[in-house]
Amino acid sequence: MPAQQLAQANPPPDASLLSKDILIYEAQLNTRNYLSPDEHKSLDLYTRAANYISAAMIFLNDNVLLEKKITPDMIKPRLLGHWGTCPGLVLVYAHLNRIIKKTGLDALYVVGPGHGAPAILSCLWMEDSLSTFMPEYSRNYGGLKKLISRFSVPGGFPSHVNAETPGAIHEGGELGYALSVSFGAVMDNPDLIVACVVGDGEAETGPTATAWHAMKYIDPAESGAVLPILHVNGFKISERTIAGVMDNKETIALYTGYGYQVRIVEDIDDIHNDLAASLDWAVAEIKKIQQAARSGSPIVKPRWPMLVLRTPKGWTGPKVHNGEFIEGSFRSHQVPLPEAKTNTKELQMLQKWLESYGPKELFNRNGSPVDAIMKIVPEGGKRMGMRDESYKAYQPLKTPDWRKFTFESGQEISCMKAIGQFIKEVVVQNPKTFRIFSPDELVSNKLDAVFDVTGRNFQWDVASRAQGGRVIEILSEHTCQGMLQGYTLTGRTGLFPSYEAFLGIVHTMMVQYAKFCKMASETTWREPCGSLNYLETSTWTRQEHNGFSHQNPSFIGAVLNLKAQFARVYLPPDANCFLSTISHCLRAKNYVNLMVGSKQPTPVWLSKEEAEKHCVAGASVWKFCSVDQGVDPDVVLVGIGVEMTFEVIAAAALLRKLMPDLRVRVVNVTDLMIMSPYGKHPHALTKDSFEALFTTDRHIHFNYHGYPIELRGLLGGRPGTDRITIEGYAEEGTTTSPFDMMLCNRTSRFDVAIAAIRGGAYFNKRVAVDAHEVVSYIKHLAQKEREYIYKNGKDQDDIFAIPKFD
């Protein structure tokens, strides 16, 4: 069966075996004649006009109001776009306009089916938001012609909603994240309602499945509300959807169980009355829940409203072609008439289709929409394309002086415990503009100091309900990421702490966000927003107790692959450096910041003054553990990461005893991006700076926290890379001891010392003479350590004692 077989258009689901009693849980409304005749007329004209523009955008490059018969030369050379979802998106936009105009509602519109960009752009043009930011798209014939002819062509609007789309806070390509982004947007925005359309294809994704529960983390006393609208048009690109084959009983049972009050909108013959009544009901339910909470009598487990909108896929488009259903089938998903430029029959069908909307009734002679349409269109900042929250809402974070939280060098301090105290003060100083989104790991990651001043915001738990907690803990990295994105893009700042191994779950979400930021930076009108801040701990180096599954530093590489303008990766070597780093990241704008560190107690190497200079520079020579303060070295040893740096320092101490003639320089890198070739990243070291740190000709050995191939890629544009060796995570691990993890991955002090001797022997004859003997002895020491570990089930007690350089 090459494609979905259909016996009829818009096929209904088979009846379920559930009792009809379940239907009592659906919201029942009297929708008959709900709208006034004028409102009904305006909505009808609006949807016809927006659908007309949407369809024309896919096909036409001229003759945009059908002034004459369409000819092949008026058809675009490449037909790109997705028609199937557009009528439903237009319908919702029109009705949101009506309620905004009538009540002054503050609303954003987030669309999961972002491939329906023509629908959104047509509505933005009609409300005149486009021309506010892009004057060439004026609300007249010239602007309309440009909008239609420049859609999905080089230099024009892309086929999906993105940062170039006014009002958008969600990259519309990858499905699954609209709902969680919406919930993040309404947090601490008490007057905002986000209407979020979830396509029935998107509803099949894992991220969306959990995001339905996000309303359990919304405190109606302090936050706005999300109105989920599940748009069931029945089909994906070539198959029916799961939601499309669920009948109303099954749908009501599912979402009622989640905690929603469901209203099904499906009266196709009277859709405007049905949807208008349903939206008014939903907003009234939201206001009722909020009023109760804000008056001090919150409803326990409130049933937030949601709509299920059932409309045919490709509604109002061609019905049948070549004996096959178009409207109400998967064939309307993208371009319903793909050969309109070369096939006379399809060209005639296109003419008839576009004429069916009656463009002469919809547009004035100058190309603007008729007055009856404009009666339901909001004005000024109430327009959904003009909401401040979507493009100019950034509120700078207040951060305490990180120096007040530092420690004396020589102490052993957990980086996470240190910054936990700092973050606690950030929470105090920013009670409405900072949140932590954590996949249930805050205590495990030793950041629980924040619970001294705040709590979790789990509204279905009596212990944390209605207390204004700043911590969202939900064991779904996708939902945390989506909430963080929505919170950040609407002007606030968040932090995402996680086990290192599982940040990779949100890899593609992070990439999509970075794409949004890249395009936003290229507009002239989107203002900066805060950065996405990832705190990666419980790293592979100390996940020996959880085993191989918990040992995975690959998220570093994911960030490295981003556009250099936005990517920042930091591996602070101690608690003081970490404090400096997180203070910087929380105040930075428009970046994706990844901070990697240990939660176990490790030495504080640098004073607060030294840490500040080191972090500003991104790397420095650590004179205290280098021979003659690093002057005229035979070899350069580089630590990148907490444990990697410890092993480098331990190797330097070992070499003082076993190979005293070897002149070692120790360098620590805290800002990974400085290793990029100069000009490839804003932080990249110049050639002179690189050579000052690493010399012009001496062997360099890197002990790197991540995968060696990542660092080798960064260094690839530097001259003389043949003198560089790199060790890092080599995909070796199990449930074992911490030091055995170093041995398994060739990052132990013994491996570093051996690399140092081999490299230094090229320049120091005295080292060369004894190299084989000493290397053999060091290998022997390493084997003895491994034997001890396997015999005793643990490391030697002093293996992580702070190295001495007496």
Side-chain angles (χ1 to χ4, degrees):
M1 185 172 71
Q4 177 75 55
Q5 294 181 348
L6 298 175
Q8 66 180 91
N10 201 34
D14 293 333
S16 72
L17 299 178
L18 291 174
S19 167
K20 66 175 65 175
D21 293 344
I22 199 73
L23 296 175
I24 66 172
Y25 293 105
E26 181 194 359
Q28 302 291 334
L29 303 174
N30 180 9
T31 65
R32 184 176 176 81
N33 298 322
Y34 185 82
L35 293 165
S36 70
D38 282 350
E39 284 182 315
H40 196 285
K41 178 181 177 182
S42 291
L43 287 164
D44 177 65
L45 292 173
Y46 185 103
T47 52
R48 283 164 53 195
N51 283 336
Y52 172 83
I53 296 171
S54 299
M57 288 169 70
I58 295 173
F59 290 95
L60 300 182
N61 60 27
D62 198 358
N63 190 27
V64 296
L65 286 180
L66 303 187
E67 301 96 318
K68 46 195 170 185
K69 282 282 187 179
I70 303 173
T71 57
D73 59 300
M74 298 172 185
I75 306 296
K76 293 175 181 177
R78 295 179 70 209
L79 299 182
L80 302 173
H82 294 74
W83 164 250
T85 191
C86 286
L89 297 180
V90 162
L91 181 67
V92 173
Y93 206 117
H95 280 261
L96 289 171
N97 276 344
R98 169 195 162 269
I99 199 169
I100 293 168
K101 183 73 175 283
K102 190 171 185 177
T103 68
L105 185 73
D106 293 324
L108 276 176
Y109 191 33
V110 171
V111 294
H115 49 274
I120 306 306
L121 291 169
S122 65
C123 295
L124 291 170
W125 179 82
M126 290 205 296
E127 71 183 30
D128 209 21
S129 290
L130 280 186
S131 69
T132 304
F133 303 113
M134 294 158 275
E136 63 271 28
Y137 293 103
S138 51
R139 194 166 58 187
N140 55 31
Y141 186 88
L144 181 60
K145 180 176 180 180
K146 189 169 185 67
L147 175 66
I148 289 174
S149 64
R150 301 304 295 166
F151 174 74
S152 270
V153 299
F157 279 108
S159 62
H160 289 62
V161 172
N162 75 343
E164 299 167 283
T165 310
I169 58 167
H170 173 56
E171 182 77 17
E174 189 169 297
L175 297 177
Y177 317 134
L179 201 51
S180 55
V181 167
S182 299
F183 279 105
V186 301
M187 289 177 180
D188 299 320
N189 267 330
D191 298 324
L192 183 66
I193 290 179
V194 174
C196 177
V197 174
V198 178
D200 50 351
E202 179 177 29
E204 297 179 8
T205 64
T208 297
T210 304
W212 291 109
H213 296 286
M215 52 77 171
K216 298 177 175 70
Y217 298 84
I218 296 297
D219 182 349
E222 66 184 7
S223 293
V226 174
L227 174 58
I229 302 171
L230 176 60
H231 184 208
V232 182
N233 62 30
F235 292 90
K236 304 188 287 286
I237 194 167
S238 63
E239 185 191 19
R240 296 181 73 178
T241 60
I242 293 173
V245 297
M246 293 172 64
D247 70 5
N248 287 352
K249 291 183 291 183
E250 291 163 325
T251 301
I252 292 165
L254 176 64
Y255 294 103
T256 299
Y258 280 175
Y260 289 97
Q261 189 171 7
V262 182
R263 168 67 188 168
I264 295 178
V265 182
E266 59 181 350
D267 188 349
I268 297 301
D269 294 330
D270 194 19
I271 197 66
H272 289 307
N273 279 313
D274 195 353
L275 184 53
S278 299
L279 271 176
D280 283 355
W281 163 82
V283 171
E285 289 295 306
I286 288 169
K287 297 297 185 183
K288 182 174 69 176
I289 292 167
Q290 292 175 336
Q291 179 60 31
R294 295 170 191 181
S295 63
S297 302
I299 301 169
V300 175
K301 292 187 176 181
R303 292 180 63 204
W304 293 94
M306 71 167 286
L307 305 183
V308 178
L309 176 63
R310 292 188 183 273
T311 64
K313 195 174 186 77
W315 194 21
T316 73
K319 303 295 187 286
V320 178
H321 180 43
N322 291 333
E324 294 179 324
F325 300 111
I326 306 298
E327 182 189 86
S329 88
F330 65 90
R331 295 184 182 88
S332 64
H333 180 80
Q334 293 177 315
V335 181
L337 302 171
E339 299 177 4
K341 191 174 181 67
T342 57
N343 183 293
T344 302
K345 182 178 179 182
E346 289 198 8
L347 184 64
Q348 292 171 346
M349 290 181 68
L350 175 62
Q351 179 84 37
K352 183 178 179 181
W353 172 18
L354 294 179
E355 285 176 344
S356 70
Y357 297 110
K360 291 180 181 179
E361 302 172 31
L362 307 174
F363 304 97
N364 297 311
R365 291 175 64 88
N366 68 354
S368 63
V370 297
D371 290 345
I373 289 175
M374 300 311 298
K375 285 182 179 180
I376 61 166
V377 175
E379 298 173 350
K382 292 291 184 179
R383 289 172 288 174
M384 288 186 286
M386 295 295 299
R387 296 295 311 180
D388 287 354
E389 297 93 338
S390 68
Y391 76 103
K392 60 171 186 179
Y394 179 59
Q395 302 173 64
L397 206 64
K398 300 173 185 175
T399 56
D401 183 353
W402 63 270
R403 299 167 191 83
K404 295 179 181 178
F405 299 86
T406 54
F407 301 86
E408 295 295 322
S409 57
Q411 295 181 263
E412 293 194 50
I413 301 294
S414 161
C415 292
M416 295 302 109
K417 279 191 171 293
I419 66 170
Q421 295 296 328
F422 176 84
I423 296 168
K424 179 172 77 172
E425 187 60 28
V426 172
V427 169
V428 171
Q429 293 188 21
N430 303 271
K432 295 297 180 185
T433 56
F434 177 72
R435 287 187 184 244
I436 299 169
F437 302 90
S438 175
D440 194 29
E441 293 161 358
L442 214 59
V443 172
S444 175
N445 286 330
K446 301 186 185 299
L447 296 165
D448 47 308
V450 297
F451 291 126
D452 294 343
V453 295
T454 191
R456 298 176 176 90
N457 204 315
F458 187 16
Q459 295 304 302
W460 279 38
D461 179 4
V462 65
S464 58
R465 181 182 302 135
Q467 296 180 24
R470 297 285 90 193
V471 177
I472 305 293
E473 281 194 337
I474 178 171
L475 197 51
S476 165
E477 286 81 1
H478 290 117
T479 304
C480 287
Q481 171 74 18
M483 289 177 171
L484 175 63
Q485 290 181 192
Y487 197 69
T488 303
L489 283 175
T490 50
R492 288 71 59 77
T493 304
L495 180 67
F496 187 156
S498 175
Y499 272 41
E500 176 179 71
F502 307 122
L503 263 181
I505 291 170
V506 299
H507 177 164
T508 57
M509 289 185 75
M510 179 270 296
V511 171
Q512 292 290 325
Y513 176 87
K515 290 179 184 293
F516 189 95
C517 288
K518 190 258 186 189
M519 298 309 300
S521 71
E522 295 177 8
T523 69
T524 58
W525 47 274
R526 280 196 183 266
E527 296 185 7
C529 63
S531 298
L532 279 193
N533 298 300
Y534 296 103
L535 185 55
E536 181 176 297
T537 187
S538 296
T539 61
W540 68 267
T541 55
R542 295 306 300 267
Q543 280 295 302
E544 78 292 336
H545 59 294
N546 277 324
F548 204 24
S549 65
H550 284 56
Q551 298 157 4
N552 175 5
S554 63
F555 197 68
I556 295 173
V559 178
L560 291 179
N561 285 331
L562 300 180
K563 198 79 172 175
Q565 178 183 350
F566 306 102
R568 302 290 185 270
V569 180
Y570 301 99
L571 296 100
D574 67 7
N576 286 349
C577 291
F578 222 116
L579 284 162
S580 174
T581 300
I582 195 168
S583 176
H584 166 74
C585 289
L586 291 180
R587 289 180 284 109
K589 293 179 284 190
N590 285 357
Y591 299 144
V592 174
N593 293 317
L594 174 60
M595 298 164 275
V596 184
S598 179
K599 67 182 182 183
Q600 303 300 336
T602 53
V604 176
W605 304 110
L606 304 181
S607 68
K608 62 183 176 184
E609 295 82 9
E610 292 168 333
E612 182 170 25
K613 292 178 181 177
H614 181 59
C615 291
V616 169
S620 64
V621 176
W622 282 15
K623 298 175 182 177
F624 73 89
C625 52
S626 301
V627 174
D628 287 346
Q629 297 191 315
V631 174
D632 193 23
D634 299 320
V635 67
V636 180
L637 302 180
V638 188
I640 308 179
V642 174
E643 289 82 5
M644 300 299 102
T645 298
F646 186 97
E647 292 303 309
V648 166
I649 294 172
L654 182 65
L655 290 167
R656 292 276 184 98
K657 299 175 182 177
L658 301 182
M659 188 64 82
D661 289 324
L662 180 63
R663 298 179 62 81
V664 173
R665 173 186 291 181
V666 173
V667 173
N668 176 263
V669 174
T670 185
D671 179 356
L672 187 59
M673 311 314 291
I674 70 169
M675 306 309 297
S676 304
Y678 185 64
K680 297 294 186 181
H681 191 279
H683 293 188
L685 293 172
T686 64
K687 180 175 181 292
D688 289 344
S689 295
F690 187 88
E691 291 178 351
L693 276 175
F694 301 111
T695 75
T696 59
D697 58 354
R698 295 306 193 255
H699 180 81
I700 312 166
H701 181 73
F702 287 92
N703 215 34
Y704 172 54
H705 178 84
Y707 288 97
I709 194 171
E710 298 163 353
L711 184 55
R712 195 165 295 283
L714 282 178
L715 293 165
R718 297 279 183 185
T721 54
D722 55 335
R723 63 190 177 105
I724 293 173
T725 54
I726 304 171
E727 294 294 351
Y729 183 62
E731 205 63 37
E732 293 291 343
T734 182
T735 300
T736 184
S737 75
F739 192 69
D740 192 36
M741 286 299 297
M742 300 295 103
L743 293 168
C744 287
N745 289 282
R746 301 187 298 277
T747 55
S748 75
R749 64 204 64 179
F750 303 124
D751 297 286
V752 175
I754 290 169
I757 292 170
R758 287 172 173 166
Y762 286 105
F763 294 93
N764 189 323
K765 294 180 180 178
R766 291 182 178 180
V767 172
V769 168
D770 295 325
H772 174 69
E773 179 183 345
V774 177
V775 165
S776 297
Y777 179 65
I778 293 173
K779 288 181 178 179
H780 171 72
L781 293 178
Q783 182 58 32
K784 287 296 182 184
E785 288 295 335
R786 176 165 279 141
E787 289 173 0
Y788 178 90
I789 292 166
Y790 278 74
K791 180 179 180 181
N792 296 279
K794 69 180 187 69
D795 295 326
Q796 296 204 52
D797 292 341
D798 63 349
I799 195 70
F800 292 117
I802 299 177
K804 304 295 184 183
F805 292 88
D806 300 330

